[in-house]
Amino acid sequence: MDRILLAHGSGGKLSHELIEKYFLPYFRNPFLELLNDQAVFDIHSRVAFTTDSYVVDPVFFPGGNIGDLAINGTVNDLAMGGAKPLYLSAGFILEEGFPIKELEDILSSMKDAADSAGVIVVTGDTKVVNKGKADKIFINTSGIGVIEKPINISAHNLKVGDKIIISGPIGEHGIAVMAKREGLEFEKEIRSDTAPLNSLVSDMLSASCDIHALRDPTRGGLATILKEFAISSNVGIVIYEDKIPVKDEVRGACEILGLDPLFVANEGRLAASASPDAAEAILKAMRRNKYGKDAEIIGEVVSEHKGVVILKTLIGGKRIIDMLMGEQLPRIC
Amino acid sequence: MDRILLAHGSGGKLSHELIEKYFLPYFRNPFLELLNDQAVFDIHSRVAFTTDSYVVDPVFFPGGNIGDLAINGTVNDLAMGGAKPLYLSAGFILEEGFPIKELEDILSSMKDAADSAGVIVVTGDTKVVNKGKADKIFINTSGIGVIEKPINISAHNLKVGDKIIISGPIGEHGIAVMAKREGLEFEKEIRSDTAPLNSLVSDMLSASCDIHALRDPTRGGLATILKEFAISSNVGIVIYEDKIPVKDEVRGACEILGLDPLFVANEGRLAASASPDAAEAILKAMRRNKYGKDAEIIGEVVSEHKGVVILKTLIGGKRIIDMLMGEQLPRIC
């Protein structure tokens, strides 16, 4: 048997075989292997809880696949709340006929990503739909993390004077997925930046707890999350084009494709708003972490133009930055 | 705008409008309305964590729809661990072109189901895929509940002598969905039994904590979960055909369709394995709850034929009951 059958989603014998033969070998741990319909553990803490479904097309792209993307994405959503990610769930929707070899490659990437991030998959679910009723594989991951420090990180919490920090160059994930999907080739291959950011956030919080907001600029890109910050906290934000790191190959691809890197998705970057007093120490800590080595302070929070993000351009102009309008790149994550 | 557009999944402006205009009005609560990528709350307890994706076809069926099914299913998976369900996540995968009116009907059912079960949806996610790349709507719900009593409920925990209890007649959900999908009409309409079972479990645990295993017989039906119980606990199970409640109309439909109600999915029933001393008290407590009024003791756990479930038939014969083989009814939940 080398392809997924409808009966793999029956809840009966083949479902059990799928779990025992493919899922458990990758994810085995004392919680999951009980094969109850729920995992049980103790928590005594503030907790963060998050969910994301992944429908990326294509399933495999330079730098990653839907599996590590699904682990990293949920790890990052927890980390963006200042939480230490601990327990993940994984829900699979498989299209009848999906090659089991590809499923194994995805599970293997999920295992590696979970190990890298220090999380475990404790509970899961698999459904199978008829051929043509889903596109290959969709994965939902939900996650639970614990918040151990006295922090209040929220898009509502930006303060005037805060520095805006980005952890590295933007736009790589979106361009990598799009290039693969459309069969585009660039001189230098552009790879997804998909990565777990929990160690980076942990290093940042060790440098200072004066971090007011954190978010990973996925769909909608850096522009959209800065606009969300500005609206949620009712402040203005100014960013400087010359400070925003963009790799040459991404800039080149964006020019060819008519895209603005500010709106292109990232999967291994974060933007932070932090007290001016703490920003330099946080930046230093970030640069010592491999996922933050190219971090930059790119702007600040101001009391003027509340709810509005302004980009100071290279040539000295000003541009108002809005959320992504319409759809730039569907099924990017 | 009356249909879902790709741009509703962009993460940008239309995604925000979808959330503000449709999701928040139904689910508004202090956790969700922060619109951070994670919900934050305190927990100091043993915790149960579960996930399930719902792909039921058709989306609307007699007695329910994919929305209340998704809430009840995850509430029930938590309750089956003896947990009090508290916080749910909801992840939507929408097909481009899905009518927004139908989405609203589904969200409205989810809200009602969440209210009935006493849970709140604290975090969510929405993705949109191109027309033809998913079938209308898929929903993932994950959930967190707290285990407040000193219990150890697990499929591994059945004891010889335990009584097997079923909370009501079996097979209604599966037949209701199948009839709707295939356009079958029966003399008396068969409606899904979808229901939240947390109050029932709470009443059972108030009667006695000597409940060793609980599970809701969804995909694969009662037969499959009893077989799982027998294997996981390495015990034998005997059940009596004349004790198993099946409504006449379900029995009739099963005869016409060549189905065995033991293998047909339920979404508002549970099976329990409980100490013989406690079984009568638990049964009484169940019958006082509206979701357990037709509960019956249908069998017992024995030391013989380990890992095997035997059905004593009406005419005095014996039948070995295995897990569901192959696929009986795809996309039943």
Side-chain angles (χ1 to χ4, degrees):
Chain A
M1 195 162 354
D2 59 355
R3 290 185 179 270
I4 290 293
L5 308 176
L6 271 181
H8 281 120
S10 66
K13 199 129 189 165
L14 274 179
S15 297
H16 278 256
E17 278 183 28
L18 186 71
I19 291 164
E20 300 272 358
K21 223 168 128 183
Y22 299 105
F23 287 76
L24 269 186
Y26 289 106
F27 297 130
R28 190 176 292 283
N29 60 63
F31 305 99
L32 189 67
E33 69 192 353
L34 289 176
L35 295 183
N36 283 323
D37 283 336
Q38 67 296 118
V40 173
F41 40 82
D42 284 279
I43 294 187
H44 297 275
S45 180
R46 264 174 101 200
V47 162
F49 178 38
T50 190
T51 193
D52 252 326
S53 296
Y54 295 84
V55 299
V56 64
D57 169 38
V59 167
F60 296 89
F61 46 82
N65 64 53
I66 194 171
D68 44 28
L69 194 68
I71 298 289
N72 290 337
T74 287
V75 162
N76 292 348
D77 277 347
L78 292 172
M80 296 308 122
K84 179 182 172 188
L86 291 179
Y87 303 114
L88 262 57
S89 65
F92 296 84
I93 298 174
L94 304 173
E95 184 186 11
E96 182 188 10
F98 187 66
I100 288 183
K101 175 69 182 65
E102 292 188 20
L103 178 62
E104 284 198 86
D105 290 344
I106 290 165
L107 294 174
S108 168
S109 299
M110 290 179 82
K111 183 205 161 14
D112 292 346
D115 288 349
S116 296
V119 298
I120 52 176
V121 175
V122 293
T123 190
D125 174 56
T126 306
K127 295 293 190 311
V128 180
V129 299
N130 322 59
K131 194 152 183 63
K133 297 299 183 184
D135 194 8
K136 299 180 193 77
I137 179 170
F138 300 147
I139 302 177
N140 176 284
T141 47
S142 300
I144 296 175
V146 291
I147 300 175
E148 292 166 330
K149 302 209 172 191
I151 49 175
N152 176 19
I153 294 176
S154 169
H156 296 74
N157 203 26
L158 282 81
K159 311 277 183 238
V160 170
D162 276 4
K163 297 294 181 188
I164 302 292
I165 310 173
I166 182 87
S167 67
I170 59 171
E172 287 157 46
H173 176 75
I175 298 296
V177 170
M178 187 182 198
K180 175 78 179 175
R181 192 192 306 166
E182 305 298 336
L184 306 176
E185 280 189 29
F186 303 112
E187 214 168 314
K188 192 167 173 187
E189 188 187 53
I190 296 169
R191 296 171 65 81
S192 168
D193 54 303
T194 178
L197 299 176
N198 49 332
S199 70
L200 180 62
V201 173
S202 171
D203 289 354
M204 292 166 72
L205 287 171
S206 294
S208 168
C209 284
D210 286 336
I211 298 171
H212 298 139
L214 280 175
R215 197 164 278 184
D216 51 339
T218 58
R219 288 182 293 177
L222 180 60
T224 298
I225 63 126
L226 292 180
K227 178 73 178 177
E228 287 171 355
F229 280 176
I231 293 174
S232 297
S233 293
N234 198 30
V235 293
I237 293 178
V238 179
I239 53 173
Y240 302 93
E241 192 172 17
D242 62 339
K243 301 286 186 199
I244 300 169
V246 186
K247 284 187 182 161
D248 287 342
E249 55 268 33
V250 170
R251 196 184 302 279
C254 281
E255 275 170 18
I256 292 166
L257 298 166
L259 297 173
D260 183 337
L262 278 175
F263 292 92
V264 177
N266 312 272
E267 290 288 343
R269 303 288 178 244
L270 65 81
S273 184
S275 295
D277 302 343
E280 280 299 334
I282 292 167
L283 187 69
K284 258 191 206 157
M286 291 174 78
R287 286 179 173 169
R288 280 194 297 266
N289 184 297
K290 71 173 164 176
Y291 298 121
K293 63 185 168 51
D294 300 314
E296 293 286 352
I297 293 174
I298 59 167
E300 60 253 345
V301 178
V302 298
S303 56
E304 301 87 47
H305 54 81
K306 292 190 194 332
V308 174
V309 180
I310 287 180
L311 175 79
K312 297 256 174 104
T313 65
L314 285 173
I315 53 165
K318 283 186 189 179
R319 211 180 107 203
I320 289 179
I321 301 297
D322 209 338
M323 287 184 193
L324 177 62
M325 296 293 290
E327 175 63 73
Q328 189 188 54
L329 300 169
R331 296 181 60 190
I332 208 69
C333 59
Chain B
M1 195 159 0
D2 60 355
R3 290 185 178 269
I4 290 292
L5 308 175
L6 272 180
H8 281 121
S10 66
K13 198 130 189 163
L14 273 178
S15 298
H16 278 257
E17 278 184 27
L18 186 70
I19 291 164
E20 300 273 358
K21 223 169 126 183
Y22 298 104
F23 287 77
L24 270 186
Y26 290 106
F27 297 131
R28 189 176 294 282
N29 61 62
F31 305 98
L32 189 68
E33 67 191 356
L34 289 175
L35 294 182
N36 283 322
D37 283 337
Q38 68 295 120
V40 173
F41 40 82
D42 284 280
I43 294 188
H44 297 275
S45 180
R46 263 175 101 202
V47 163
F49 178 37
T50 190
T51 193
D52 252 325
S53 296
Y54 295 83
V55 299
V56 65
D57 170 39
V59 167
F60 296 89
F61 46 82
N65 65 54
I66 194 171
D68 44 29
L69 194 68
I71 298 290
N72 290 337
T74 288
V75 162
N76 292 348
D77 278 348
L78 293 172
M80 296 309 122
K84 180 183 171 187
L86 291 179
Y87 304 114
L88 263 57
S89 66
F92 296 83
I93 298 174
L94 304 175
E95 184 186 12
E96 182 187 9
F98 187 66
I100 287 182
K101 174 69 181 64
E102 292 188 20
L103 178 62
E104 285 198 84
D105 290 344
I106 290 164
L107 294 174
S108 168
S109 299
M110 290 179 81
K111 183 207 162 13
D112 291 345
D115 288 349
S116 295
V119 298
I120 52 176
V121 175
V122 293
T123 189
D125 174 56
T126 306
K127 296 292 190 312
V128 180
V129 299
N130 322 60
K131 193 151 184 64
K133 297 298 183 185
D135 194 8
K136 299 180 194 78
I137 179 170
F138 301 148
I139 302 177
N140 176 284
T141 47
S142 300
I144 296 175
V146 291
I147 301 175
E148 291 166 332
K149 302 210 172 189
I151 49 174
N152 177 18
I153 293 176
S154 169
H156 296 72
N157 203 27
L158 281 82
K159 312 278 182 238
V160 170
D162 276 4
K163 298 293 181 188
I164 303 291
I165 310 172
I166 182 88
S167 67
I170 60 172
E172 288 157 44
H173 176 74
I175 298 296
V177 170
M178 185 182 200
K180 176 78 180 176
R181 192 192 306 165
E182 306 298 337
L184 306 176
E185 281 189 29
F186 303 111
E187 213 168 314
K188 193 169 172 186
E189 188 187 53
I190 296 169
R191 297 171 65 81
S192 167
D193 54 303
T194 179
L197 299 176
N198 49 332
S199 71
L200 179 63
V201 173
S202 170
D203 289 353
M204 293 167 70
L205 287 170
S206 294
S208 167
C209 283
D210 286 335
I211 298 171
H212 298 138
L214 280 175
R215 197 163 278 183
D216 51 339
T218 57
R219 288 182 294 176
L222 180 60
T224 299
I225 63 128
L226 292 179
K227 178 73 178 176
E228 287 170 357
F229 279 176
I231 293 174
S232 298
S233 293
N234 196 31
V235 293
I237 294 178
V238 178
I239 54 173
Y240 302 93
E241 192 172 17
D242 61 339
K243 301 286 187 199
I244 301 169
V246 185
K247 283 188 183 160
D248 287 341
E249 54 268 33
V250 170
R251 197 184 300 279
C254 281
E255 275 169 18
I256 294 167
L257 298 166
L259 297 173
D260 183 338
L262 278 175
F263 292 92
V264 177
N266 312 273
E267 290 288 343
R269 303 289 179 243
L270 64 82
S273 184
S275 296
D277 301 343
E280 281 298 334
I282 292 167
L283 187 69
K284 255 191 210 160
M286 291 174 77
R287 287 180 173 169
R288 280 194 296 266
N289 184 297
K290 70 174 165 175
Y291 298 121
K293 64 185 168 52
D294 299 315
E296 292 288 351
I297 293 174
I298 59 166
E300 60 253 346
V301 178
V302 297
S303 56
E304 299 88 46
H305 54 79
K306 292 191 194 334
V308 173
V309 180
I310 287 179
L311 175 78
K312 298 255 174 102
T313 65
L314 284 173
I315 53 166
K318 284 184 188 179
R319 211 179 107 202
I320 290 180
I321 301 296
D322 209 339
M323 287 185 194
L324 177 63
M325 299 291 292
E327 173 64 71
Q328 191 188 54
L329 300 170
R331 296 182 60 191
I332 207 69
C333 59

